[in-house]
Amino acid sequence: MSSRPPEKGSEENAPKAKEWPELVVSGCADQTISKIVKGTYRVSTMNHNKPVYKKYEKAKGLDVLVYFWDDRDGLELCGWWFGPAVGGDQVWAFHPSRTSITPPANEWNIPNDGPIDPIFTITPRAKGSGSDASAEKKSEDVGGDDDVRRQIENMKRERDEFAARMEEIQRRAEERRKREEELKRRMEGAEDPAKSAKRSRTDDRDGAMATARAEEERRRLEREAQQKKEKDRRQAEEEARQKRDEERRRIDE
C-alpha cells in the first residue's frame, strides 16, 4: 500500500458523528496489538467513499485508525486496515472485505499477514443517552445493527461454501461405498466361498481407493487455497517493498 494521503476529507467536512455509530474493539489474542487497537472509535473523516474511524486515545503516541483502501493498488491490498495513518506502510490488522460499509465485525487477520483471530470483535455503540435520544437516532442505530448482521452473514456464507464443497466430496465417497457394500452382499449368496472372498477383497480395495481419492481431492483443494493465500501475501509484500524503494529513490533524488 502506498503511503499517500487520504481522499479529501477532514474533521470539518466529515459526516456528522451521529450518522455513524461509534465502534468498540475488543478480544484481540495478540497482546501487543491488543494494547494498541482495543478501545472506542468514532468517525473522523472519509477515505475511498467509506468512513475512517479514529480511536479516542492514542497508543504509544500514535493515532489508531480503521480505514478502507480500494483496489487502485491491487486486489490484494483492497480491504479494511488498522494503522496509524491512512494508506501508510505500518499496519496492525487486515480484513479483505470489499463490500462492508463499515469495518467488519470479526474474522480479521491479526497481525495483518497472520491468521484470522477468532476472538477479535468490532461492535457498534450508539452515541447519545436516555431520554435525550431522538427517534431519528434510534432508527440510525437499528440501521447500523442491520449492516453488521449483513456483514457477518456474508462472511459466514463464504466460509460455508468452502465447507459445503468438502462435505459434497465426502458424501459422494460415502454413497459409493454403501452401493459397493450392497452389491457385495447380493453377490455373496450366488458365488462360491472362494469367489466371494475374492470379490470381497476387490470391493474393499475399490472402496478404499474411492475414499483415498476423496481424501486426496480434499487435501488438494486445501493446498490450492493455502498456496493462493501465500502467493497473494508474498505478492503484496513484494509490491509494498518495491513502492518503499521507489519512495526512497524519489526522496534521495
Side-chain angles (χ1 to χ4, degrees):
M1 188 170 359
S2 61
S3 185
R4 64 180 68 179
E7 292 182 342
K8 291 183 179 180
S10 65
E11 298 286 349
E12 295 180 355
N13 59 22
K16 294 181 180 179
K18 72 174 185 178
E19 296 180 5
W20 302 95
E22 291 184 342
L23 299 181
V24 177
V25 174
S26 60
C28 182
D30 188 305
Q31 294 303 310
T32 300
I33 296 179
S34 175
K35 294 177 181 178
I36 297 173
V37 302
K38 285 178 67 174
T40 303
Y41 293 70
R42 70 185 186 280
V43 171
S44 64
T45 185
M46 299 289 288
N47 186 66
H48 295 181
N49 298 319
K50 296 190 180 183
V52 176
Y53 278 84
K54 181 177 181 181
K55 185 179 174 183
Y56 276 99
E57 305 85 10
K58 291 188 176 184
K60 299 180 180 180
L62 298 174
D63 288 331
V64 184
L65 307 176
V66 191
Y67 61 90
F68 177 78
W69 196 262
D70 64 21
D71 59 1
R72 66 187 62 191
D73 292 325
L75 293 177
E76 67 278 2
L77 298 179
C78 182
W80 289 89
W81 299 84
F82 275 82
V86 174
D89 291 332
Q90 183 179 5
V91 290
W92 300 299
F94 172 68
H95 195 294
S97 175
R98 303 169 191 168
T99 57
S100 279
I101 303 303
T102 57
N106 50 27
E107 297 193 350
W108 284 75
N109 294 91
I110 301 176
N112 62 288
D113 58 353
I116 291 176
D117 187 332
I119 66 172
F120 182 83
T121 59
I122 299 179
T123 55
R125 188 183 75 173
K127 298 187 69 174
S129 61
S131 58
D132 294 333
S134 64
E136 179 184 359
K137 178 61 181 176
K138 291 179 181 179
S139 175
E140 291 170 352
D141 292 342
V142 171
D145 292 341
D146 289 341
D147 288 339
V148 172
R149 282 195 294 270
R150 282 193 294 269
Q151 292 169 20
I152 295 175
E153 290 172 358
N154 288 337
M155 288 184 288
K156 287 182 177 179
R157 183 167 55 254
E158 293 173 356
R159 181 183 58 201
D160 292 344
E161 286 175 357
F162 178 79
R165 290 200 302 271
M166 298 298 99
E167 291 177 359
E168 178 65 16
I169 293 173
Q170 294 174 352
R171 184 185 65 79
R172 292 180 180 179
E174 181 65 16
E175 289 179 352
R176 179 171 180 175
R177 183 185 65 81
K178 290 180 179 180
R179 288 196 300 269
E180 291 171 346
E181 289 179 353
E182 178 65 21
L183 179 61
K184 180 180 66 176
R185 285 194 296 268
R186 292 178 180 178
M187 298 181 67
E188 282 177 352
E191 295 179 345
D192 59 45
K195 290 184 178 180
S196 178
K198 182 178 180 180
R199 174 72 65 178
S200 178
R201 288 193 298 270
T202 300
D203 291 343
D204 289 345
R205 184 178 66 250
D206 291 344
M209 291 175 63
T211 301
R213 285 195 295 270
E215 178 64 17
E216 179 62 25
E217 177 67 11
R218 182 186 67 80
R219 292 178 180 175
R220 183 184 67 79
L221 291 173
E222 289 180 348
R223 285 196 302 270
E224 289 179 355
Q226 184 64 29
Q227 289 171 357
K228 183 178 184 303
K229 182 176 180 180
E230 180 65 17
K231 179 180 178 181
D232 292 344
R233 183 185 68 79
R234 290 179 179 177
Q235 182 178 357
E237 290 178 350
E238 178 63 19
E239 290 180 354
R241 184 187 64 77
Q242 293 176 357
K243 290 176 182 178
R244 287 196 298 269
D245 291 344
E246 183 180 347
E247 290 175 357
R248 292 192 186 101
R249 286 195 297 270
R250 288 200 299 268
I251 293 174
D252 292 341
E253 292 174 356

